[in-house]
Amino acid sequence: MKKLTTSVLFVVLSSSFLVANAQQRKDSDTIKTQNIGEIVVTGALGIKKKADAITNAQQVVGAKELNQASSPSAVQALTGKVSGLQIIQTDNSVSASSRIVIRGNKSISGDNQALVVIDNVISTAAVLSQLAPEVIESVNVIKGSQGAALYGQQGVNGVIIVTTKRGSKSEKIQFTLSSSIEMSQAFMFPKVQTRYGKGYPDSQVFNGGDVDYNGTTYVPWENTSWGPAYDAPGIGGQMVPSGLPQADGSFVMEKYAPVKNHFSKFFKNGVIMQNGLTVTAGGSDSYATLSINRLENNFVVEGDQLKQNSFLLKAGKKLDKLRIDGTLNYISRITNQTSAGLYSDILQMPTMNDIRKYRNTGVDGFLSAYTTNPYYQIENNRIDTNRDYLSGILALQYDFNKHINLSYTGNLSITNSRQDSHNNGFVSTRVYENSGTILDGGTLQDYNANSNFDSYYMNRTISTRNYYGDLMLNFNYDLTNDLNLKLNIGNNIQDNYQTARAMGGTGLNYAGWYDIRNVNNPILPGDSVGGNAVDGLGFDNGTYRSRIIAAFANLDLAFKDYLFLNSTFRLEESSVLSTNFNGQNHNKTYPYYSFGVSFIPTKAFEGLKGGVLSYMKIAPSYTRVGNTSAVPVYATTNVGIAPSGYPFPNLPGYGINTAQTFRSVQPEFMTTTDLNVQLGFLNDRITLEGSIYQTDTDNLITNVGASNASGLASLRSNFGKARMKGVEIDLGVTPIKTQDFTWNFRASYAQSRTKVVDLPGGVDEVALFVPSATVGIGVFAVKGSDLQTLKATTFKRDDQGRIIVGADGVPLQNTTMTSMGRITPDYTLTFNTSFKYKSFTLSGTMDFRKGGKFASMAKSTLTFSGLTDDTNFDRENGYVVPNSVQLVNGAYVANTTPVNGAANYSAAAAYWSSTSLQRLGEPMVLDATAFKVREISLTYDIPKSVLSSTFVNSFTVGLYARNPFFIYAKENRNYSDPETSGSSGNGAGIAYTGQYPSQRSFGINLKATF
C-alpha cells in the first residue's frame, strides 16, 4: 500500500484551487454557490443559529449524503463522512451494533461515546442505528465541547443532533415511495497457506496401520493442517476419507487438494430489503408527516434474520401565539440468530474441506472431532430478541411578543426488550462401528472428552422508561442598531428507570421445550455471573433509577453581523453522586460553563474580501464540563451485597462489598480550549476549515487496588489526569459547477491523541480490558503514555532485538506484558466526491486509517491450526526460529537448534500448536492501517419533462455498493477488521473470533413522489 500523508490535502487543495479558479472565469458557471456563513444549523437544545454565529467545530451531513447508498442503519451511513468521527463495530452479526466516538477518548473508566439527540431530546445510539435514514432531514455532529456544553456531563464527548423530516407547507398531499433490494456477502476472509493439509504427526487412525508422509500422518477428523503436503506422493490430489465416520461406518470422500476460498463456502448470499412510504401535507401554519418503513435482513449466516417495522408521525400547528409540535416514533425489531462463536470453529477448518458436505452429519459425523459442526449450532443454538421502542415528543412554544417566548420540549420513551436463548446441547451416544479406525467400539466422548456440552435455556427482559423535559424562556432583543442579544434560560429534568429480569439454567429435561419449568439446574437470581458462564450474555436482576436536574442559560451576542459571543452555564445535579448517611440524602451540585467567540474578518473589513478570499471565520472557545459516567447507579451508597449462591431457603446472606466507590467522589472535570478557523475562496467554491484543540481531564474516575488492612479489594474514586490534543482539517471543493455538470469534492484529515499525565501514587497503569487471564493481551491506560495502550506478553530478545531461545530451540517468553503501541491511529483521511451530469449522479465515500495497533484473536487460532503464512516452511526438516540466538558461555550466538530440539515434522507441529504459543500476545498484535471504500452510488433522476403527463412528480433509480473494497496492512492477512472490537467500552482494539468477516452489499433502489 502506498504511503498517504498530510501532503495529500495540500496537493488536492492546490490543484482544486486552479481548476475552480479557471472554471470560475468561464461564462458557463451559472449556478451560485451558497454562502457558507448564512446556512442555518440546529444546535444544542434545538437552538438554531447561522453558521457565522457558531463558535465551535460542527459538521452537518444532509439527507442526500445519508441515503446515497441506502444504508439500513443511520449510524453506518455516517461512516467516513465526518472528520474526527470514529464508528467501531462491536457486533457485525445480523443485529449489528456500533461504538460512536468523536475526537477520541478522554476518560479511563467512563463512557467516551458521543451523545445522541433526536428531535431535540436525548436518545441513544441504539435508537439511531434503528432509525431509517430516509426519515432523517440532517445530522449535525458537534465536535467541539463548547457547542455541547448546554448538555452538561452528557455532552462531554460531543453530540450527534438528528433532525427528522417535517411535512411540506403545500396543502396538496404528497406521497413518497422508496424501495431497495440488495445482495450482501461476507468477504475479506483470512489468507492462508495452501501447501499443507489436514493431519497431525504421530497420530493413529486406521487399525491396519497408517502411512507416514515425510514425518506426518493424514487424520480424517483432524481440525488442524499439520498433515501431508498437497503434492505428497500417494495422497496429493487423491480422493480420501474425510471427517468422522458416518452412521453406516462410511466416510465423506474429499479430494486431498485445497478448496479455493474454503472459508467462504459456509456463508451464503444475504438479502436486505427496505420499503418505505411517506405521506406529507400541510399549509401556511401547519404540517403533518407519516412515515412507514419495513426492513428485512436475511443474513449471510443461514437462518439468521432481522425484521423491523418503523412508524414516525410528526405534526405541527400554529394557533395564534401558540405553536404545537408533536412526534410519535415506534420501532419494532425482531431478530433470530445463532451464536457468532461458531466462526472460531470455521477458522480451524483445513483447506481441503468443503464444509457444505457436512450440513447433515451432526456433531459426531462432522469434519473434525475437535470442533462443533456450525450447521448443528445453527439448528440448536439460537437467540431470539424482540425489541419494542415507543417515543412521544411534545413541543410547545408561546410567543408573548416578538421578543419573548416560552418553550417546552418533553419526551417519554419506553423500551421493552425480551431475549430468549437456548442450546439443545449434545451428548454423544452413537458407538462407531465398521469404520476400520481406532474409533470403532467407542463414542466421540471417549475419543474427545470435551465433545459433550450442556443444554440450557435463558430468558432476559429489560424494560426502560425515560423522561426528558426542557423548559426555556427565550429572549431576542436588538439592544442597539449594531448589537443583538439572545438569551435562553431554562430547566432540564431527566428521569431514567430500568428493570432487568433474568431466569434460566442448564439441563433441559425435554428437548425443544424452552421454558423455565423445563430447566433442571436453575441459576439463582443472586448469581450475577451465572448467565455469563452459560452463554456469555449476563444474568442481571435489578431495578435502577437515575435522575438529572439542571438549570441552564445560553447567551448569544451579535455585533454588526461579524462578531459573535456565545456563553453557556449549567448548574447540574446527578443522582449517581448522591449519598445517604446519618439518615439523610446528600446531593451534590456542580457548575459547568463555556465561552466562545466567532469573528468574521471578511465582513468586518471589506477590503479582505476579494476575488480569491470570499470568507474568513476565526472562532476560539473555552469549556469546562464534568463527567460522571464512570459512577454506576447506587455506587456511592452500596456497601453490602448478597454473596454468590444466596439466598438459600430460610437462610439469607449478606456481606460487605469489597469493591466500593468513595462517598465523596466528584465528576471528572474536562477543560477544553479549541480554535476553529474557516476559510472560503472563490465565492465559497473552495472551503477550508481547521480545528486545533486540547482537553485536560482532572479527577479521573477509576478503580485502584486498596490495602488489605482496609478490608477492600478496590476503591473507585478520583485519581489522575489525562490530556488530549488533536487537529482536524476539512477541505471542500466544487471544481466545476455549470448548468449540466457539477463536481463536488470533500476531504478531511483528523488526528487525536490522549495521554495519561498522572495516576495515583504507586499505580503505573489501569487495566481497561483484559479478555482472559490465559491470553497474554490487554488494553491499558499507562502513566506517561497513551490512554489506550495495547500490551502483550512477548518473546525475550537481546539488545539487538533477536529472539532468545532455550537449549531446546523454543523461544523464551516474558511473563510480564510489554507495550505494543497505541490503539488510536496516527491519523485518518476521508474522501467524499460526487459528479452530477444532467440527471445522472455518481458519488463515493472512502477513508484511510494510518497506524495504530490491534490484536487479532483469529490469527492465534489460525496459527494453532497451521494455516498462517508463518507455518508455510519445509516442515519435514523441523523449524529453526528466524533471527534467534542462544546464550552460550555468557554470550548470545546465532541459533541453529530447531524447536523442541529435533529437526522433524513432529517437533515443529508441537511448537506451533502448543498452548504456550497460543497464549503469547505478541504474534496477535498487528498494524491497524486500512483503506476502505465505503460507498459508491449511481443514480438517475427521470427528467420532469418525461413525467409531466403523469401523476408522478419525480422518479429516481439508483445502483449502489457498500463496503465494496478494503485493503489492510500487509501483515494483516485479512485476519480481522481493525475497526471491529470485542468490547463496547474503552477496551476497543481486540478483535475476537466471534466477529464475522466484513460484509459488502450491492443493490438497487427506487424512489418516487406523487
Side-chain angles (χ1 to χ4, degrees), residues 769-827:
F769 180 60
V770 179
S772 172
T774 60
V775 178
I777 204 79
V779 182
F780 295 80
V782 180
K783 183 178 178 179
S785 188
D786 292 270
L787 179 61
Q788 288 178 295
T789 296
L790 192 63
K791 299 188 71 176
T793 50
T794 58
F795 294 112
K796 286 188 176 181
R797 300 175 186 269
D798 66 1
D799 55 4
Q800 298 182 43
R802 298 174 297 182
I803 295 175
I804 302 172
V805 303
D808 59 356
V810 175
L812 304 179
Q813 298 181 12
N814 294 303
T815 55
T816 57
M817 289 187 178
T818 302
S819 174
M820 306 299 293
R822 65 179 182 273
I823 289 173
T824 53
D826 299 337
Y827 60 83

Side-chain angles (χ1 to χ4, degrees), residues 21 76 118 126 391 416-417 423 456 663 728 948:
N21 188 41
Q76 291 302 315
I118 300 176
S391 172
N416 186 69
S417 177
N423 192 324
Y456 64 78
R663 192 166 61 187
E728 296 162 355
S948 59

Side-chain angles (χ1 to χ4, degrees), residues 245-387:
Q246 302 305 298
D248 60 358
S250 66
F251 286 87
V252 173
M253 301 298 290
E254 293 195 81
K255 187 177 182 180
Y256 196 73
V259 175
K260 185 177 181 181
N261 298 325
H262 78 302
F263 290 137
S264 68
K265 306 306 180 186
F266 173 77
F267 297 91
K268 70 182 184 67
N269 289 330
V271 177
I272 300 176
M273 294 184 291
Q274 298 182 79
N275 295 284
L277 169 65
T278 301
V279 183
T280 64
S284 59
D285 60 356
S286 62
Y287 70 91
T289 299
L290 173 64
S291 180
I292 303 172
N293 292 272
R294 168 78 169 183
L295 167 66
E296 292 187 35
N297 184 354
N298 290 297
F299 194 53
V300 295
V301 175
E302 187 174 306
D304 287 12
Q305 294 182 329
L306 178 149
K307 296 180 180 180
Q308 177 177 295
N309 296 307
S310 306
F311 301 87
L312 179 67
L313 175 63
K314 295 187 71 173
K317 176 71 175 178
K318 182 73 180 293
L319 302 170
D320 193 20
K321 293 185 177 183
L322 177 65
R323 174 156 199 91
I324 304 175
D325 295 275
T327 302
L328 186 65
N329 188 14
Y330 173 70
I331 302 173
S332 173
R333 185 182 182 95
I334 301 173
T335 58
N336 183 305
Q337 62 190 106
T338 189
S339 169
L342 57 79
Y343 186 51
S344 178
D345 291 326
I346 296 171
L347 284 173
Q348 300 172 54
M349 180 173 59
T351 53
M352 67 163 286
N353 289 128
D354 184 340
I355 197 171
R356 294 171 296 185
K357 294 183 178 182
Y358 302 87
R359 177 185 298 274
N360 300 311
T361 62
V363 175
D364 50 14
F366 187 47
L367 64 85
S368 170
Y370 307 103
T371 56
T372 305
N373 190 333
Y375 293 107
Y376 183 89
Q377 296 184 61
I378 285 176
E379 293 292 330
N380 295 276
N381 188 357
R382 306 300 300 176
I383 305 172
D384 298 327
T385 305
N386 294 342
R387 187 178 189 274

